[in-house]
Amino acid sequence: MLILTCPNCGIAAEETELSPGGEAHLHRHGPGSSDGEFEEYLFLKENPRGVHFERWRHSHGCGKWFHAARDTATLQVFGTYSAQTTEPPQHIRDAITAARPGWRWRDFS
Amino acid sequence: MSTRLAQGGRLIDRSRQVSFTFDGKTFRGHPGDTLASALLAGGQVVMGRSFKYHRPRGAVAYGVEEPNALVNLGEEGRFEPDTRATTQEIFDGLVAESQNRWPSLDWDIGAVNSLFARFLPAGFYYKMFIHPRAAWKHLFEPFIRRSAGLGRAPRARDADRYEHFYAHVDVVIAGGGVAGLAAALAAGRSGKRVLLVEQSGHWGGRAVVDGARIDGKEAADWVADAVAALDAMPNVTLRTRAMAAGVYDHGYVLVHERLTDHLADKSGLRQRLWRVRAGRIINAAGALERPLSFAGNDVPGVMLASAMRDYLVNHAISPGDRTVIVTNNDDAYRTALALHEAGLIVPAVLDARPVADGELPERARAAGIRVETGRAVVRVKGRSHVTGVEVGLHVGEGSVLEEIACDAVAMSGGWSPVVHLWSHCGGKLNWDEAQAHFRPDPERPPLGADGTGFVRCVGASNGHLRTGDGIADAVAGAAWATGADAGKAPAGEDADEGALMPVWLMPQGAGVKLRAKMWLDYQNDVKVSDVQLAAREGYESVEHTKRYTTLGMATDQGKLSNINGLAVLSGALNAAIPQVGTTTFRPPYVPYTLGAIAGSAARETFMPLRKTQMDSWHVEQGAEFEPVGLWRRPYSYPRLGETVKDSVAREILNTRKNVGILDASTLGKIIVKGPDAGRFVDMMYTNMMSNLAVGRCRYGLMCNEQGFLVDDGVVARLSEDTWLCHTTSGGADNVHAQMEEWLQTEWWDWQVYTANVTEQWGQIGVVGPNARKVLEKLGGMDVSKETLPFMHWAEGELAGFPVRIFRISFSGELSYEIAVPAGQARGLWDAILAAGAEFGMQPYGTEALHVMRAEKGFIMIGDETDGTVIPQDLGLNWAISKKKDDFIGKRGQQREHMVDPLRWKLVGLETEDGSVLPEGAYAVAPGDNANGQRNVQGRVTSTYHSPTLGRGIAMGLVERGPDRMGEMLEFGAGADPVRAKIVDPVFYDKAGEKQDG
Amino acid sequence: MKRYSVFAIAREGLRYHQGWERAWRSPAPQKRYDTIIIGAGGHGLATAYYLGKNHGIRNVAIIEKGWLGGGNTGRNTTIIRSNYLQDASAAIYEKARSLYETLSQDLNYNVMFSPRGVMMLAQTQHEVRGYKRTVQANLLQGVATEWIEPARVQELVPIISISGPRYPVLGAIWQPRAGTARHDAVAWGYARACSEMGMDIIQNCEVTGIDRDGDRVTGVQTTKGAIACDRMGIVVAGHSGLLAQMAGFRLPVESVALQALVSEPIKPCLDVVVMANTVHGYLSQSDKGEMVIGGGADGFNNYTQRGSFHHVEETVRALVETFPMISRLRMLRQWGGIVDMTGDRSAIISKTPVRGVYINCGWGTGGFKSIPGSGWAMAELMAKGEPGPLAAPFSLTRFREGQFIDESVAAGVAH
Amino acid sequence: MAEATTTVTVRDLGAQGMVTLRGDLADETLIKAVRKVTGLTVPGQRGFRRGKSGAVAWMSPDELLLLVPEDKAGSAVADLDRALDGQHHLAVDVSDARAMFAVEGPFAREVLAKCSPADLHPDSLPEGEIRRTRLGQVAAAFWCEGDGIWRVIVFRSVAGYAQALLERSARDGAVGAF
């Protein structure tokens, strides 16, 4: 039963107040994209055993979306941050590096 | 035969009597008795029958770990099976019944199983009942099912109430023994929020029974003072009869509290499930004593030494005049001494160890008790109760040196820390050679959200079996949990104890005949020989052995049997115990009711039910409701003597002939506003919405990124920068969430605000040829087709109500949808009904709505769509903008399979004889596919009897359907397939003349 | 190997069962095999079994990280049914179900397949339409299902409350020859048969790398050393993504936790399997007498085999309302497994970008019931290098083409 | 820890003017407009301010809930639109979309804590703060207006469910945890 702190309203919300939204920092591929890119966008999700970035919505709360950096094997939470970002901010990356030196996720490290 | 002694019993109140029945026989006990202690007091040693062999069994333990003494408790709405007699406190009028026996506890037919025991070894059923095939289901399995199971199945609905309670604390402490109390005192002084829970009804745990001393006081007095001190701390919450059931990730702890199970008065709340969020968790759950594996260790009268002591000290229970003690450690001598001091006879202490010269053995000898070292119980004599033991050398093979007559046996194989809460979230264990048990590995705790350990075991649950060590460990644990200095630990003193000697088989060299009578898992009848068989057959992993033999899978979840079984397995595999490993502990620590898990979500609060402002009116009209999402909507309004089928037909005909009224309030209504709102709605809908003129309405389609149609509805432009999007009733919340998701996570630089105003507005459909007359009679607005043409909307006052009127039609008839602030919706509804009376107005429900839209060839989300259908399949290309270079779903619709010319497309279907096509029927095509399935070329998506046309009508998706008008298709298979013709999906008013009235 | 029978039991009984042999050998790995199956769960073992039985390929090693059958095979609610809507699903699940019918005899190991019947309750008009459509589809797919009215539901399930209050039972889709089997026995039975065919089951052997020569597989690196092979099947459910990564390709799967629980055992009171998808719960009673309860899966990636309690709460809440008599029963044990979910929630049985590597995954919540069919189809694919009709629709390329096998379209979403 | 003898009552407060305002909460014009309508300044994160004629609650970084007299919601929206004319905002009357309850009594906090995963300990949820969360199975917001005095807002369509849940929780008495 996860607890994630919503960066929008500051509440340490428990899982039942939140809705999971899948992989974070997806690049939307619309018309003009190749079949491969479109498949990548919709289906080829990151599924790591370890550091993962994902989207959550504080649905039973302020209603806002946010990002979380989490370990899928230990459920350790490295931090939460704004949904209005295209990549994890440095302080989150540093927090991860402190706990998981040498981590990689997609092109991020 | 057991009985109650004239003196003693620290928990019982002899001044009062409590009367209850067991198997119909009346017993008497005292307040403070458990069902087990009261039955023992009444000489009832046999309390149940085992699962597989139906052997007679008595209580072997004192608490939650009891595998044998399980009963059916209570009656009717308060009947429950499998209740532990050892934890159920008695109250006046308690009714209990023994289980798993027929016709009676003493004469159980099922006991024949035990005659064949040697032919029913572990996993026997995997090896037999294979032939003939049908026999398993019809013969063998029914027999096994009947003889398995334990208690009776309840029949009645639960008469009790349950609730949840969410608590957020800094520290949860599980266990109210002296370690838990010491930890709570230290943690409490730090000022942190502390919750201390104890599963039994009493504080103090073992120390008060074993007569330890703390800070120079009797343990009992120290405990009383500690509880008083804790009670006085505002930041500390204390609970008895509250069991810490499980530890979940991120400090989530479930605590099961029993409020009335021990009372005769059941009027109050029965149980409460605490859903606790804790920063740190201290597990002070103590340790459990292990049985010894000797032949006949399951005969009623054989008991754990500590349990016998508990019954004696707490309830003044004599297990019998003569009790033999058998042990591999010093602690069991406490039982010998207690029995001796109570004036009972201890013919001998049989100690497997070569030497026993610790303080306790010496005290026993000094008391004149015969202590035999290097000795073992070879076999217990007696069947339904102990009559004696055969004694031999522990290092021998079981030759009998002597027989000792006795009526009880107290056994102790050492102690195992209760590490469940530590293990639930992955805490690892180390094997402690000296004490022969698993204890928490402080280096590998369960990790919390911050990546650090969030559970710590203290006291006996951390392997500190001595009072002094345990308390010191607990206080250190409190310091860890609070991050504050915990101060000096109270000093605990108890007798010095010599080393234990691991004994997994007694006697050591016991042959196969004896091993087949040594029980490991009492309830499931798993014996030493079974575990050895599993190992021999290659079920070497401890999980394999457990599952193959069912060891540890009984209602005690292996509390008594896991370690002994594991040791036997490691012996059979010639591997060290830690190499063999241990099985995973899963919540709950002790089973608790499903009712408590459901909590208050029962009956009227089971699930939310969304109601419109007109709901009470619908009820008064005797409407049949149907659930739509969480809403309920009138399905139809049958009148007296009318079937629902009749009333649906009547509602349709009347609406088409006169005028109908529909409660459309559940329709989703979302406001989209801002400089970029037009651009945004263009992305959300397949068609162009930005160029919609203010005052106009347009039907729109919403797809997901896959391109599949997910919602539809009418969009109205309210002002330059504001659109009102109507969605399906079930879809409003999803659509709004989708919009917010795109705005917050993809186009956050766009200036758009949305608001879901679905519930702000009641919405009333006035539909039919007389609709305009009704509105004109209500007055206040010009609703003529000139001022308010089709697909326009207007704002104004209708009969004094502030409204928005939308000229839209889902039935093909002249139709006004009137939005009014929800608070005034019922008022307007009544006004419309009054005005409509003279024009033959009648309400209609969702089924009439569905039929009328089908007659008109309009699609319905969820009928024509199912998550795999794109708008192009439904001939809705006109609603898909060619001009826009992007919208949600556009790319998805360009994929290979989506542009396949062979996709099934929407058509109308008409049976030759006018009958109604079967729901969901498929149109067959010639031949079978490669998997031998009949080929198909289409399917029915909606099918109804049309009262308007007096025949069956249907819509369906058919391969190249629109190109095959007039073709006949065969639906369904088997004897009589139904033939139907492909026709235009618009069955009624093709010209569209009706919508203007 | 000694055949199992009542006579063997009797004979052994007389000598206290001292003469039983190992059910399967426990060999050290050889340097190379024709074929390596990664994952000794039900699907992996079944694949190996049918490779040997149907295609004569017996130089096979089945490599298992932990103990055989220790993953989802031993963690599910043992439901077996084939009342699926889409042709592709109905075909493979019905193949599996029909193989289950004779599995005990085929394996000479009693897997206790019990065709006690499975019903899925329709509690909304939408579900009524969805299930009636499924019955129509099943009719043409050769799957024996029928639509039954509430009265029949009550007759088959005396303990159910069909009148609601919240979601009255409007009927059900009923498959009389669906049922349950003893999950561990399925893995053990296949393992014993594979071992008897001379295949090596290598437990406690974790794959640490997959060797390639260009785009062709040559073997695996394991904690027990390198093992060469020409052909490899990856059949590891929740860990498929990780293995695919080692092999050098990506999979459209996400790993989530799925939970189940059992009550304390009671005397028989429920003979059939009941699924209620509107309220996300299903219930059956094991031969031991435990009420076996399953519910929904978590919505986020998770490898811990620990699900979130609120899913248990939601399921129990719904079942207590639907079967009021279970309220006073106690939860004995709860547990979780890691299931791999694909984009359309249907499985993948397919060739991969790496020549010689075949993948079988994505069974999501429906793994156990499909084991024999899945193994049958996977074996055919691996033996021939091309999918047979059972496997063909489950290819890895369907996501790109948009050719989904979507079962959620009928109301029957839960497996 | 003695069980409270007195009870907690649950009352539907009936009509209450409510306006949702979305916009830039730091914007001077908006702050002025809110003061004009409610006489109150915009509260900070999760803040709740009560004035003579109304109240303001912080709902999210770009959303406020204004409580105004029943008959003033319409004019409040008009005033806000006028004041914020030409700048990006959304003001909408939601009075009819919601129901408001009074939960009052010595263990009111515990009644709410039986239904909501929010931390209702006095130190964690003091007066002057609004908490948006889950009440049983529906969305809700509540705040404290004095010792044992609570206000709860839910969507109108589930008012019946919310009231039944709160009344049931009140009926089953105090827990004795706070």
PDB file of all heavy atoms in Angstrom, chain B residues 80 82 118 130 141 158 248 536-537 539 592, chain C residues 17 23 105 109 114 265 287 327 331 334:
ATOM      1  N   GLU B  80     -20.461 -19.353  13.640  1.00  0.00           N
ATOM      2  CA  GLU B  80     -19.185 -19.334  12.931  1.00  0.00           C
ATOM      3  C   GLU B  80     -18.438 -20.638  13.149  1.00  0.00           C
ATOM      4  O   GLU B  80     -18.474 -21.218  14.235  1.00  0.00           O
ATOM      5  CB  GLU B  80     -18.325 -18.157  13.391  1.00  0.00           C
ATOM      6  CG  GLU B  80     -17.831 -18.298  14.822  1.00  0.00           C
ATOM      7  CD  GLU B  80     -17.147 -17.033  15.329  1.00  0.00           C
ATOM      8  OE1 GLU B  80     -17.740 -15.956  15.183  1.00  0.00           O
ATOM      9  OE2 GLU B  80     -16.039 -17.141  15.858  1.00  0.00           O
ATOM     10  N   ASP B  82     -14.826 -23.179  13.005  1.00  0.00           N
ATOM     11  CA  ASP B  82     -13.361 -23.148  13.168  1.00  0.00           C
ATOM     12  C   ASP B  82     -12.864 -22.181  14.236  1.00  0.00           C
ATOM     13  O   ASP B  82     -11.758 -21.654  14.139  1.00  0.00           O
ATOM     14  CB  ASP B  82     -12.681 -22.810  11.830  1.00  0.00           C
ATOM     15  CG  ASP B  82     -13.076 -23.775  10.726  1.00  0.00           C
ATOM     16  OD1 ASP B  82     -13.466 -24.915  11.062  1.00  0.00           O
ATOM     17  OD2 ASP B  82     -13.027 -23.404   9.542  1.00  0.00           O
ATOM     18  N   ARG B 118      -1.972 -45.946   6.979  1.00  0.00           N
ATOM     19  CA  ARG B 118      -0.717 -46.282   6.305  1.00  0.00           C
ATOM     20  C   ARG B 118      -0.898 -46.345   4.797  1.00  0.00           C
ATOM     21  O   ARG B 118       0.062 -46.326   4.045  1.00  0.00           O
ATOM     22  CB  ARG B 118      -0.175 -47.590   6.840  1.00  0.00           C
ATOM     23  CG  ARG B 118      -1.056 -48.783   6.536  1.00  0.00           C
ATOM     24  CD  ARG B 118      -0.615 -49.976   7.338  1.00  0.00           C
ATOM     25  NE  ARG B 118       0.759 -50.355   7.014  1.00  0.00           N
ATOM     26  CZ  ARG B 118       1.326 -51.479   7.472  1.00  0.00           C
ATOM     27  NH1 ARG B 118       0.649 -52.276   8.285  1.00  0.00           N
ATOM     28  NH2 ARG B 118       2.557 -51.795   7.156  1.00  0.00           N
ATOM     29  N   ILE B 130      -7.008 -42.188 -10.432  1.00  0.00           N
ATOM     30  CA  ILE B 130      -6.747 -41.713 -11.797  1.00  0.00           C
ATOM     31  C   ILE B 130      -7.695 -42.387 -12.785  1.00  0.00           C
ATOM     32  O   ILE B 130      -8.165 -41.778 -13.726  1.00  0.00           O
ATOM     33  CB  ILE B 130      -5.275 -41.988 -12.172  1.00  0.00           C
ATOM     34  CG1 ILE B 130      -4.350 -41.150 -11.280  1.00  0.00           C
ATOM     35  CG2 ILE B 130      -5.031 -41.694 -13.654  1.00  0.00           C
ATOM     36  CD1 ILE B 130      -2.875 -41.435 -11.439  1.00  0.00           C
ATOM     37  N   GLU B 141     -13.839 -37.429  -5.527  1.00  0.00           N
ATOM     38  CA  GLU B 141     -13.779 -36.048  -5.056  1.00  0.00           C
ATOM     39  C   GLU B 141     -14.916 -35.707  -4.085  1.00  0.00           C
ATOM     40  O   GLU B 141     -14.669 -35.147  -3.020  1.00  0.00           O
ATOM     41  CB  GLU B 141     -13.773 -35.068  -6.234  1.00  0.00           C
ATOM     42  CG  GLU B 141     -13.474 -33.652  -5.789  1.00  0.00           C
ATOM     43  CD  GLU B 141     -13.515 -32.657  -6.940  1.00  0.00           C
ATOM     44  OE1 GLU B 141     -14.313 -32.850  -7.870  1.00  0.00           O
ATOM     45  OE2 GLU B 141     -12.734 -31.690  -6.890  1.00  0.00           O
ATOM     46  N   ASP B 158     -24.895 -12.528   8.206  1.00  0.00           N
ATOM     47  CA  ASP B 158     -24.238 -12.088   9.438  1.00  0.00           C
ATOM     48  C   ASP B 158     -25.104 -11.078  10.183  1.00  0.00           C
ATOM     49  O   ASP B 158     -25.561 -10.092   9.603  1.00  0.00           O
ATOM     50  CB  ASP B 158     -22.889 -11.462   9.081  1.00  0.00           C
ATOM     51  CG  ASP B 158     -21.980 -11.323  10.282  1.00  0.00           C
ATOM     52  OD1 ASP B 158     -22.511 -11.217  11.416  1.00  0.00           O
ATOM     53  OD2 ASP B 158     -20.752 -11.317  10.105  1.00  0.00           O
ATOM     54  N   TYR B 248       2.112  -4.386   5.747  1.00  0.00           N
ATOM     55  CA  TYR B 248       2.145  -4.191   4.303  1.00  0.00           C
ATOM     56  C   TYR B 248       3.114  -3.060   3.995  1.00  0.00           C
ATOM     57  O   TYR B 248       3.623  -2.398   4.901  1.00  0.00           O
ATOM     58  CB  TYR B 248       0.737  -3.896   3.781  1.00  0.00           C
ATOM     59  CG  TYR B 248      -0.249  -5.010   4.074  1.00  0.00           C
ATOM     60  CD1 TYR B 248      -0.831  -5.147   5.339  1.00  0.00           C
ATOM     61  CD2 TYR B 248      -0.561  -5.957   3.107  1.00  0.00           C
ATOM     62  CE1 TYR B 248      -1.713  -6.181   5.608  1.00  0.00           C
ATOM     63  CE2 TYR B 248      -1.445  -6.995   3.372  1.00  0.00           C
ATOM     64  CZ  TYR B 248      -2.023  -7.103   4.626  1.00  0.00           C
ATOM     65  OH  TYR B 248      -2.884  -8.141   4.896  1.00  0.00           O
ATOM     66  N   ARG B 536      12.028 -38.082  -0.188  1.00  0.00           N
ATOM     67  CA  ARG B 536      12.445 -39.255  -0.958  1.00  0.00           C
ATOM     68  C   ARG B 536      11.947 -39.147  -2.397  1.00  0.00           C
ATOM     69  O   ARG B 536      12.613 -39.562  -3.335  1.00  0.00           O
ATOM     70  CB  ARG B 536      11.892 -40.534  -0.308  1.00  0.00           C
ATOM     71  CG  ARG B 536      12.418 -41.837  -0.883  1.00  0.00           C
ATOM     72  CD  ARG B 536      11.852 -43.047  -0.131  1.00  0.00           C
ATOM     73  NE  ARG B 536      12.021 -42.906   1.304  1.00  0.00           N
ATOM     74  CZ  ARG B 536      11.008 -42.907   2.171  1.00  0.00           C
ATOM     75  NH1 ARG B 536       9.769 -43.052   1.754  1.00  0.00           N
ATOM     76  NH2 ARG B 536      11.240 -42.748   3.461  1.00  0.00           N
ATOM     77  N   GLU B 537      10.778 -38.560  -2.572  1.00  0.00           N
ATOM     78  CA  GLU B 537      10.191 -38.479  -3.921  1.00  0.00           C
ATOM     79  C   GLU B 537      10.641 -37.243  -4.685  1.00  0.00           C
ATOM     80  O   GLU B 537      10.154 -36.981  -5.778  1.00  0.00           O
ATOM     81  CB  GLU B 537       8.669 -38.519  -3.829  1.00  0.00           C
ATOM     82  CG  GLU B 537       8.150 -39.854  -3.319  1.00  0.00           C
ATOM     83  CD  GLU B 537       6.654 -40.003  -3.520  1.00  0.00           C
ATOM     84  OE1 GLU B 537       6.258 -40.387  -4.631  1.00  0.00           O
ATOM     85  OE2 GLU B 537       5.894 -39.694  -2.592  1.00  0.00           O
ATOM     86  N   TYR B 539      10.459 -33.985  -3.697  1.00  0.00           N
ATOM     87  CA  TYR B 539       9.821 -32.703  -3.367  1.00  0.00           C
ATOM     88  C   TYR B 539      10.715 -32.021  -2.333  1.00  0.00           C
ATOM     89  O   TYR B 539      10.389 -31.944  -1.158  1.00  0.00           O
ATOM     90  CB  TYR B 539       8.404 -32.935  -2.853  1.00  0.00           C
ATOM     91  CG  TYR B 539       7.521 -33.612  -3.869  1.00  0.00           C
ATOM     92  CD1 TYR B 539       7.450 -35.004  -3.941  1.00  0.00           C
ATOM     93  CD2 TYR B 539       6.786 -32.874  -4.784  1.00  0.00           C
ATOM     94  CE1 TYR B 539       6.665 -35.638  -4.885  1.00  0.00           C
ATOM     95  CE2 TYR B 539       5.987 -33.498  -5.733  1.00  0.00           C
ATOM     96  CZ  TYR B 539       5.929 -34.872  -5.778  1.00  0.00           C
ATOM     97  OH  TYR B 539       5.147 -35.495  -6.728  1.00  0.00           O
ATOM     98  N   TYR B 592      -8.728 -13.754  10.445  1.00  0.00           N
ATOM     99  CA  TYR B 592      -9.818 -12.902  10.964  1.00  0.00           C
ATOM    100  C   TYR B 592     -10.908 -12.790   9.920  1.00  0.00           C
ATOM    101  O   TYR B 592     -10.709 -13.132   8.754  1.00  0.00           O
ATOM    102  CB  TYR B 592      -9.283 -11.537  11.407  1.00  0.00           C
ATOM    103  CG  TYR B 592      -8.655 -10.705  10.306  1.00  0.00           C
ATOM    104  CD1 TYR B 592      -9.405  -9.750   9.620  1.00  0.00           C
ATOM    105  CD2 TYR B 592      -7.321 -10.856   9.971  1.00  0.00           C
ATOM    106  CE1 TYR B 592      -8.832  -8.972   8.623  1.00  0.00           C
ATOM    107  CE2 TYR B 592      -6.750 -10.085   8.971  1.00  0.00           C
ATOM    108  CZ  TYR B 592      -7.494  -9.146   8.309  1.00  0.00           C
ATOM    109  OH  TYR B 592      -6.930  -8.386   7.312  1.00  0.00           O
TER     110      TYR B 592
ATOM    111  N   HIS C  17       5.893 -47.280   2.652  1.00  0.00           N
ATOM    112  CA  HIS C  17       6.225 -46.321   1.576  1.00  0.00           C
ATOM    113  C   HIS C  17       7.725 -46.063   1.455  1.00  0.00           C
ATOM    114  O   HIS C  17       8.148 -44.966   1.123  1.00  0.00           O
ATOM    115  CB  HIS C  17       5.466 -45.009   1.809  1.00  0.00           C
ATOM    116  CG  HIS C  17       3.995 -45.227   1.906  1.00  0.00           C
ATOM    117  ND1 HIS C  17       3.182 -45.373   0.817  1.00  0.00           N
ATOM    118  CD2 HIS C  17       3.187 -45.396   2.990  1.00  0.00           C
ATOM    119  CE1 HIS C  17       1.933 -45.591   1.224  1.00  0.00           C
ATOM    120  NE2 HIS C  17       1.907 -45.622   2.535  1.00  0.00           N
ATOM    121  N   ALA C  23       9.989 -38.351  -8.089  1.00  0.00           N
ATOM    122  CA  ALA C  23       9.007 -38.018  -9.120  1.00  0.00           C
ATOM    123  C   ALA C  23       9.722 -37.471 -10.357  1.00  0.00           C
ATOM    124  O   ALA C  23       9.280 -37.649 -11.479  1.00  0.00           O
ATOM    125  CB  ALA C  23       8.000 -36.998  -8.590  1.00  0.00           C
ATOM    126  N   GLN C 105      -4.822 -38.906 -16.799  1.00  0.00           N
ATOM    127  CA  GLN C 105      -4.512 -40.183 -17.443  1.00  0.00           C
ATOM    128  C   GLN C 105      -3.257 -40.056 -18.306  1.00  0.00           C
ATOM    129  O   GLN C 105      -2.376 -40.913 -18.267  1.00  0.00           O
ATOM    130  CB  GLN C 105      -5.695 -40.646 -18.294  1.00  0.00           C
ATOM    131  CG  GLN C 105      -6.952 -40.980 -17.485  1.00  0.00           C
ATOM    132  CD  GLN C 105      -7.637 -39.764 -16.879  1.00  0.00           C
ATOM    133  OE1 GLN C 105      -7.661 -38.686 -17.480  1.00  0.00           O
ATOM    134  NE2 GLN C 105      -8.154 -39.913 -15.677  1.00  0.00           N
ATOM    135  N   TYR C 109      -0.790 -39.003 -13.345  1.00  0.00           N
ATOM    136  CA  TYR C 109      -0.620 -38.197 -12.134  1.00  0.00           C
ATOM    137  C   TYR C 109      -1.934 -37.458 -11.942  1.00  0.00           C
ATOM    138  O   TYR C 109      -2.394 -36.771 -12.855  1.00  0.00           O
ATOM    139  CB  TYR C 109       0.520 -37.191 -12.334  1.00  0.00           C
ATOM    140  CG  TYR C 109       1.072 -36.598 -11.055  1.00  0.00           C
ATOM    141  CD1 TYR C 109       2.270 -37.053 -10.525  1.00  0.00           C
ATOM    142  CD2 TYR C 109       0.401 -35.587 -10.383  1.00  0.00           C
ATOM    143  CE1 TYR C 109       2.787 -36.512  -9.359  1.00  0.00           C
ATOM    144  CE2 TYR C 109       0.908 -35.049  -9.218  1.00  0.00           C
ATOM    145  CZ  TYR C 109       2.107 -35.517  -8.708  1.00  0.00           C
ATOM    146  OH  TYR C 109       2.626 -34.985  -7.545  1.00  0.00           O
ATOM    147  N   SER C 114     -11.483 -31.048 -12.152  1.00  0.00           N
ATOM    148  CA  SER C 114     -12.843 -31.260 -11.686  1.00  0.00           C
ATOM    149  C   SER C 114     -13.803 -30.352 -12.447  1.00  0.00           C
ATOM    150  O   SER C 114     -13.919 -29.168 -12.138  1.00  0.00           O
ATOM    151  CB  SER C 114     -12.911 -30.955 -10.188  1.00  0.00           C
ATOM    152  OG  SER C 114     -14.243 -30.988  -9.748  1.00  0.00           O
ATOM    153  N   PRO C 265     -11.039 -23.641   6.243  1.00  0.00           N
ATOM    154  CA  PRO C 265     -11.852 -24.661   5.575  1.00  0.00           C
ATOM    155  C   PRO C 265     -13.188 -24.917   6.275  1.00  0.00           C
ATOM    156  O   PRO C 265     -13.266 -24.887   7.501  1.00  0.00           O
ATOM    157  CB  PRO C 265     -10.967 -25.912   5.636  1.00  0.00           C
ATOM    158  CG  PRO C 265     -10.039 -25.685   6.778  1.00  0.00           C
ATOM    159  CD  PRO C 265      -9.830 -24.211   6.887  1.00  0.00           C
ATOM    160  N   ASP C 287     -11.149 -28.552  -2.570  1.00  0.00           N
ATOM    161  CA  ASP C 287     -11.475 -29.864  -1.998  1.00  0.00           C
ATOM    162  C   ASP C 287     -11.167 -29.908  -0.514  1.00  0.00           C
ATOM    163  O   ASP C 287     -11.742 -30.687   0.232  1.00  0.00           O
ATOM    164  CB  ASP C 287     -10.693 -30.964  -2.735  1.00  0.00           C
ATOM    165  CG  ASP C 287     -11.245 -31.197  -4.139  1.00  0.00           C
ATOM    166  OD1 ASP C 287     -12.367 -30.728  -4.404  1.00  0.00           O
ATOM    167  OD2 ASP C 287     -10.547 -31.809  -4.960  1.00  0.00           O
ATOM    168  N   SER C 327     -19.494 -14.012   5.502  1.00  0.00           N
ATOM    169  CA  SER C 327     -19.054 -12.874   6.314  1.00  0.00           C
ATOM    170  C   SER C 327     -18.302 -13.287   7.575  1.00  0.00           C
ATOM    171  O   SER C 327     -17.320 -12.668   7.961  1.00  0.00           O
ATOM    172  CB  SER C 327     -20.268 -12.017   6.706  1.00  0.00           C
ATOM    173  OG  SER C 327     -19.870 -10.972   7.562  1.00  0.00           O
ATOM    174  N   MET C 331     -10.315 -15.042   6.938  1.00  0.00           N
ATOM    175  CA  MET C 331      -9.253 -15.107   5.937  1.00  0.00           C
ATOM    176  C   MET C 331      -8.075 -15.859   6.542  1.00  0.00           C
ATOM    177  O   MET C 331      -7.525 -15.465   7.567  1.00  0.00           O
ATOM    178  CB  MET C 331      -8.797 -13.709   5.516  1.00  0.00           C
ATOM    179  CG  MET C 331      -7.577 -13.737   4.605  1.00  0.00           C
ATOM    180  SD  MET C 331      -7.218 -12.153   3.825  1.00  0.00           S
ATOM    181  CE  MET C 331      -6.618 -11.226   5.221  1.00  0.00           C
ATOM    182  N   GLN C 334      -3.386 -14.836   2.549  1.00  0.00           N
ATOM    183  CA  GLN C 334      -3.456 -14.076   1.308  1.00  0.00           C
ATOM    184  C   GLN C 334      -2.073 -14.042   0.682  1.00  0.00           C
ATOM    185  O   GLN C 334      -1.071 -14.143   1.377  1.00  0.00           O
ATOM    186  CB  GLN C 334      -3.968 -12.654   1.554  1.00  0.00           C
ATOM    187  CG  GLN C 334      -3.004 -11.787   2.363  1.00  0.00           C
ATOM    188  CD  GLN C 334      -3.386 -10.311   2.334  1.00  0.00           C
ATOM    189  OE1 GLN C 334      -3.797  -9.766   3.335  1.00  0.00           O
ATOM    190  NE2 GLN C 334      -3.222  -9.687   1.178  1.00  0.00           N
TER     191      GLN C 334
END
